[in-house]
Each structure stands twice: as C-alpha cells, then as structure tokens.
Amino acid sequence: MEEIEPIDTYIYEEVNSTNSIASELAREAFKRPILVVANKQTAGRGRMGRHWYSPANSNIYMSLVLKLNAMVLYPELITLYSAVCVWQVIGETVKESLGHLWIKWPNDLYWEDKKLGGILTESLYSAGKPEFFVIGIGLNVNSDKEEIQRQTDLVWTSLRAETARDYKRDSLIAGITGTILKDLYLLSEPDRITKMWKERTRTIGARVKVITGNYEFEGLAEDIDSKGHLIVRDAFSGDRVTISTADIVHIR
Ligand code: BTN
C-alpha cells in the first residue's frame, strides 16, 4: 500500500478567506501540511486583488499549506503544478470535461470559454525567503450558473451547470489534496511541469491581450519558460516579452 502523508485538516462553516486562515495556522504551528476548507467565504480573494465570490453550500474553497523550500526551484511553478492537478482530478471525476476543460495562463480553469475555477498561491516569508506556500483553490461545483453570473463580470460556469449533476465536494477536495501531495517531487523538475501544463492549455498559440498594472499590449502567446512565465510576441514591436504577473485575455 502506498503511504499516505498525514495532514492537519480544518473544516469551517464560514471564514473570511481560507488562504488567510491557513496562513495564520501555519504561522502558529506547522508540523505537517495543513488543509483548510470552508463552506462559505465572506472575503474570498482572487488574483490581482479581486474578490472571489464564495456562496455557501455549493462550491469548493480550500487552501493547502506546504513547506517545500529545498526542492522548489521556481516557486511560480507551484501554481502551474496545482492547476494541472486540479485539471486531472476534474477529468477523472467528470468524464464529460475531457476536451472541454483547459488551463488559461497561469492557473485559471476554464470549461470552453467560461471560467470554472482559479488558484491563488501566496508565499509566507521568513528571513527574506519563502518558507510556506499557501495554495488556495476555488472551484465552482454545484452552484447555480445564473447566481454566479450576477455577481461577477467574467463569464462563469460550474460543474453542475455543464453536466446537470451534483458532485460531492468532499471527494473532489480529497482527490485534489492527494494528487497535489503525491507528486510534489516534480517541483524540482521544471520541464516536466511545464510540459504537463502545456498539454492542458489553450493559451499557447493564442492571440492575447496582456494587462499589467502599468501597461497593456496585444500579441501571440508563444511559450512558457521554465519558471512558468509567459512569452508573448508583441504584435506591434515584434519583441518577445516575458510576463511574470499579469492578466491575459484571449482574443478571437
Ligand atoms: C483567481 O483569481 O482565479 C484565483 C481565485 C482563488 C480563490 C480561492 S477560494 C479558496 C482560497 N481562499 C481565497 O481567499 N482565495 C482562494
């Protein structure tokens, strides 16, 4: 039998953000990986300072805290790796997702042109170095599509909206946690992670608009480098630009 690594699990009815609670718990005492799950978030956070709409009783809000220092070559890859793991678990659970589910750079889960979930990875520093990584995963599972759509400006969906079935959140959470913990050694092999990620994305080869805090431009997304940064050929200047943090919009 495969050995299962013990983890400390905390389940809450309501929290502000599972990422915030997970960080507090890790700072208080970290003995082994920590998993925080909530039924509802009142201040769920998305990337780029956005709010993550987190109604009760329907979706997954989970944060996993890991301590990985030595083996992590590039912390950015944790997020790409986690997106691949979530993709895989959804694929195993929801057969209809195959061919529809893809990862938008860096870590959004999309069902065709609708957002299904996202990942916010935060680092907790000690003496100037990242000590813990908090992988926060939000996945729309059983929520009513119309309800979510009223709350956000992106085009959203949920597993139930796509397949007309409800899913057990516990099994998905257990699957995602187990899958992430199982192959963490891959974080020391960037090329394997970027390869797996590239097999599941539609961003590479797409025309994209890159939006950062300071500027915007359009171009062709050509590749990711071994840190998971996106390489975009600027349509105007012809330059190859490496993007570490930004929002991208796929242009048709
Ligand atoms: C994104 O912007 O796409 C990332 C969204 C991440 C949301 C999850 S929900 C669980 C965890 N707690 C948070 O406050 N955010 C993440």
Side-chain angles (χ1 to χ4, degrees):
M1 269 254 299
E2 221 177 296
E3 241 327 275
I4 299 174
E5 194 184 350
I7 60 171
D8 286 334
T9 304
Y10 298 83
I11 299 174
Y12 297 94
E13 176 53 34
E14 180 181 312
V15 296
N16 50 7
S17 151
T18 55
N19 268 29
S20 303
I21 303 290
S23 303
E24 284 165 26
L25 289 165
R27 284 197 200 280
E28 274 163 26
F30 182 95
K31 292 188 216 73
R32 53 187 77 87
I34 297 174
L35 171 67
V36 175
V37 176
N39 187 38
K40 175 183 179 185
Q41 294 185 120
T42 51
R45 296 197 299 274
R47 284 180 69 241
M48 318 288 284
R50 277 189 291 258
H51 174 67
W52 187 262
Y53 178 59
S54 313
N57 306 325
S58 47
N59 300 327
I60 290 178
Y61 318 111
M62 61 183 280
S63 299
L64 188 59
V65 190
L66 306 173
K67 193 172 188 175
L68 298 164
N69 4 12
M71 61 209 262
V72 176
L73 279 178
Y74 307 124
E76 294 95 322
L77 287 181
I78 294 172
T79 282
L80 275 73
Y81 167 72
S82 306
V84 169
C85 293
V86 175
W87 184 98
Q88 188 177 321
V89 172
I90 298 174
E92 284 160 7
T93 315
V94 187
K95 293 284 173 245
E96 305 94 306
S97 72
L98 294 170
H100 298 288
L101 190 69
W102 58 282
I103 305 169
K104 175 169 166 277
W105 184 85
N107 52 16
D108 284 349
L109 286 141
Y110 267 69
W111 187 298
E112 293 301 335
D113 53 356
K114 289 160 274 180
K115 183 156 167 169
L116 184 70
I119 301 176
L120 175 70
T121 306
E122 296 174 317
S123 316
L124 301 184
Y125 283 78
S126 160
K129 283 198 186 148
E131 189 184 14
F132 302 112
F133 295 97
V134 182
I135 306 169
I137 301 170
L139 191 63
N140 295 334
V141 180
N142 296 323
S143 60
D144 177 38
K145 186 174 173 174
E146 280 69 38
E147 197 207 345
I148 289 210
Q149 198 56 75
R150 275 201 296 277
Q151 305 293 329
T152 56
D153 46 3
L154 270 173
V155 182
W156 278 88
T157 196
S158 68
L159 292 177
R160 177 172 156 221
E162 295 301 329
T163 61
R165 284 204 307 281
D166 277 347
Y167 294 88
K168 284 198 167 49
R169 287 178 290 166
D170 318 12
S171 337
L172 282 162
I173 292 167
I176 292 169
T177 307
T179 306
I180 292 177
L181 292 176
K182 187 160 69 68
D183 291 330
L184 283 172
Y185 68 90
L186 287 172
L187 290 168
S188 57
E189 301 178 35
D191 294 348
R192 287 184 64 188
I193 294 187
T194 53
K195 180 170 182 287
M196 291 191 302
W197 185 91
K198 283 196 252 183
E199 286 164 359
R200 292 165 176 82
T201 190
R202 293 188 187 172
T203 295
I204 305 306
R207 285 186 54 223
V208 295
K209 181 185 208 177
V210 178
I211 307 166
T212 74
N214 307 321
Y215 62 96
E216 290 185 16
F217 70 94
E218 288 184 15
L220 179 69
E222 289 190 342
D223 206 353
I224 51 169
D225 67 14
S226 45
K227 291 183 178 163
H229 296 169
L230 187 66
I231 299 167
V232 181
R233 175 82 60 187
D234 186 323
F236 183 70
S237 66
D239 292 344
R240 275 187 122 210
V241 187
T242 302
I243 311 289
S244 57
T245 317
D247 254 342
I248 60 157
V249 178
H250 283 216
I251 308 170
R252 280 164 196 281

